[in-house]
């Protein structure tokens, strides 16, 4: 589907136009949205708009990294949205010209729908032109990053609060799942942050300095999101390290207990082994109280070693 909206020089909005109507002298600037276009509709990028072949190739091929390219009569931006269900990135391409913006996306985008509603209701923005419109598109895309990041952060906080109800394995599984989600989100937000920085400092987009405050505001939002992601990643690292430390402490206590038991029984086993060899000439076997003396010696050794280990602080 191709959606065409135009703003006239009298600051009125024209909806549902045909592409051939955009040549009217009354039109100040226009926006064309390629929403899940067919192959035939996508061909208008070349046959009607005559965009650069490399930019068209980026639109039609696999997911590109957020970037900005400058051509003779237009600028090409690759933007990313986030699918809140899968956290995967979806590409939104934007062509920016002197009197137009063209958006292209192969999946439905709520941010684009919101931008269309804003364009229809916010009459004050009509005279600000295509650069402000490109800002509004990017701003809407970034706005939809926040719920995803907040949801991941809430999951992490919920994990901290309910950790006593979960086993160590369940907690570690949850932590690694959250870290994987944060990494997936990070792969979208960080390149978008870098793209906004490049736009703010670009000298090739004519007229963008007039709207620096708007683009800086979006960049600030992306900086905040980046900090939230890094903070959440640090929390997951702390949780992971804490559980590893606790498990190591438990394992050390278990090994220490087993070591003490093994050490105490080593001389007892040695004595039992000697008198269990059943040789004929063993004088102690003929003593009347030999068995009881041996038991007493073994008990004394056990109690003595236990007292020694306790004195050394092995049971603290």
């Amino acid at each position: 589907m191709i959606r065409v909206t135009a703003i006239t020089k009298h600051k009125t909005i024209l909806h549902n136009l045909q592409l051939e109507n955009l040549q009217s002298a009354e039109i100040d600037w226009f926006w064309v949205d390629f929403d899940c276009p067919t192959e035939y509709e996508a061909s208008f990028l070349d046959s009607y708009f005559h965009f650069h072949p490399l930019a068209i190739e980026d639109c039609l091929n696999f997911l590109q990294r957020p970037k900005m390219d400058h051509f003779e009569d237009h600028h090409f931006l690759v933007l990313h949205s986030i699918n809140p269900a899968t956290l995967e990135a979806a590409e939104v391409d934007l062509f920016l010209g002197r009197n137009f913006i063209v958006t292209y996306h192969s999946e439905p985008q709520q941010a684009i729908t919101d931008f269309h509603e804003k364009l229809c209701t916010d009459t004050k923005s009509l005279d600000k032109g295509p650069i402000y419109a490109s800002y509004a598109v990017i701003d809407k895309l970034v706005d939809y990053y926040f719920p995803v990041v907040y949801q991941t952060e809430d999951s992490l906080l919920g994990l901290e609060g309910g950790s006593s109800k979960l086993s160590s394995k369940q907690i570690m599984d949850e932590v690694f799942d959250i870290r994987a989600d944060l990494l997936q989100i990070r792969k979208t937000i960080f390149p978008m942050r870098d793209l906004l920085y490049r736009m703010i400092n670009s000298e090739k987009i004519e007229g963008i300095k007039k709207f620096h405050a708007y683009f800086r505001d979006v960049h600030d939002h992306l900086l905040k999101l980046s900090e939230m992601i890094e903070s959440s990643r640090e929390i997951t690292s702390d949780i992971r390290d804490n559980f590893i430390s606790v498990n190591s402490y438990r394992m050390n206590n278990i090994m220490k207990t087993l070591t003490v038991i093994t050490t105490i029984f080593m001389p007892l086993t040695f004595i039992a082994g000697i008198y269990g060899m059943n040789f004929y000439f063993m004088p102690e076997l003929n003593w009347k109280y030999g068995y009881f003396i041996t038991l007493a010696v073994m008990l004394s050794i056990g109690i003595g070693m236990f007292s020694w280990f306790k004195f050394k602080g092995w049971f603290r």
Side-chain angles (χ1 to χ4, degrees):
M1 178 180 70
I2 299 178
R3 179 166 47 188
V4 181
T5 304
I7 290 81
T8 68
K9 294 181 179 180
H10 302 291
K11 307 311 174 187
T12 58
I13 304 177
L14 304 177
H15 298 288
N16 301 321
L17 298 177
Q18 299 298 318
L19 289 177
E20 52 267 20
N21 300 134
L22 296 177
Q23 304 301 325
S24 172
E26 291 296 320
I27 293 178
D28 186 22
W29 64 277
F30 60 86
W31 167 49
V32 179
D33 179 42
F34 288 79
D35 184 3
C36 306
T38 63
E39 185 176 347
Y40 172 72
E41 291 172 336
S43 66
F44 287 115
L45 294 174
D46 180 32
S47 61
Y48 183 84
F49 291 102
H50 308 294
F51 291 137
H52 196 279
L54 292 177
I56 297 175
E57 182 181 355
D58 286 342
C59 288
L60 302 180
N61 288 349
F62 54 87
L63 187 67
Q64 303 290 322
R65 181 182 176 86
K67 65 176 184 176
M68 176 174 59
D69 292 328
H70 305 285
F71 300 105
E72 184 176 352
D73 58 348
H74 62 275
H75 310 279
F76 175 65
L77 305 176
V78 176
L79 311 172
H80 278 184
S81 65
I82 296 180
N83 187 323
T86 63
L87 303 182
E88 294 182 354
E91 184 174 325
V92 178
D93 302 301
L94 188 148
F95 296 88
L96 173 62
R98 182 182 59 81
N99 65 335
F100 67 85
I101 65 167
V102 175
T103 52
Y104 183 98
H105 48 98
S106 57
E107 300 177 11
Q109 295 291 336
Q110 184 61 42
I112 301 297
T113 303
D114 292 347
F115 165 67
H116 182 261
E117 294 176 356
K118 180 180 180 180
L119 188 64
C120 296
T121 56
D122 185 9
T123 55
K124 295 181 180 180
S125 65
L126 299 181
D127 60 345
K128 294 181 180 178
I131 295 181
Y132 179 84
S134 65
Y135 147 76
V137 171
I138 298 173
D139 184 51
K140 288 298 180 182
L141 288 173
V142 172
D143 285 344
Y144 278 93
Y145 294 170
F146 279 95
V148 175
V149 176
Y150 284 143
Q151 181 180 359
T152 307
E153 195 175 58
D154 290 342
S155 300
L156 183 58
L157 295 176
L159 179 63
E160 284 188 300
S163 59
S164 59
K165 302 178 182 178
L166 301 175
S167 66
S168 297
K169 183 179 183 305
Q170 289 174 322
I171 291 176
M172 294 304 294
D173 289 343
E174 288 288 338
V175 167
F176 281 109
D177 287 342
I178 292 175
R179 283 182 64 85
D181 292 343
L182 289 171
L183 179 60
Q184 186 71 25
I185 300 170
R186 188 178 187 273
K187 290 167 60 178
T188 298
I189 291 179
F190 277 50
M192 284 290 290
R193 180 195 64 186
D194 297 339
L195 173 63
L196 262 294
Y197 180 80
R198 288 182 58 198
M199 291 186 68
I200 293 171
N201 294 278
S202 175
E203 299 291 339
K204 296 184 178 181
I205 303 179
E206 184 179 354
I208 195 172
K209 290 184 178 180
K210 180 180 177 181
F211 301 97
H212 267 183
Y214 296 98
F215 286 98
R216 277 198 298 267
D217 182 65
V218 179
H219 185 251
D220 289 341
H221 290 167
L222 289 167
L223 286 176
K224 178 182 178 180
L225 289 167
S226 301
E227 292 171 357
M228 292 173 63
I229 291 173
E230 290 304 303
S231 175
S232 296
R233 281 171 56 85
E234 289 178 4
I235 293 174
T236 58
S237 297
D238 290 342
I239 294 176
R240 179 192 59 190
D241 294 341
N242 287 341
F243 271 91
I244 291 175
S245 298
V246 169
N247 287 335
S248 297
Y249 177 74
R250 290 174 179 173
M251 182 62 68
N252 288 337
N253 281 339
I254 292 172
M255 294 302 297
K256 184 168 62 176
T257 301
L258 293 176
T259 301
V260 169
I261 294 173
T262 303
T263 305
I264 291 175
F265 274 89
M266 281 177 62
L268 308 184
T269 305
F270 175 74
I271 294 173
I274 289 178
Y275 289 104
M277 290 188 291
N278 294 324
F279 287 111
Y280 182 77
F281 295 103
M282 295 182 70
E284 297 87 348
L285 296 180
N286 297 319
W287 292 354
K288 179 178 180 180
Y289 299 104
Y291 172 70
F292 301 103
I293 293 174
T294 303
L295 288 181
V297 171
M298 294 173 69
L299 182 61
S300 299
I301 292 174
I303 294 174
M305 294 185 68
F306 179 84
S307 301
W308 174 256
F309 290 139
K310 188 173 183 180
F311 174 76
K312 287 294 186 179
W314 280 40
F315 298 104
R316 293 177 184 174

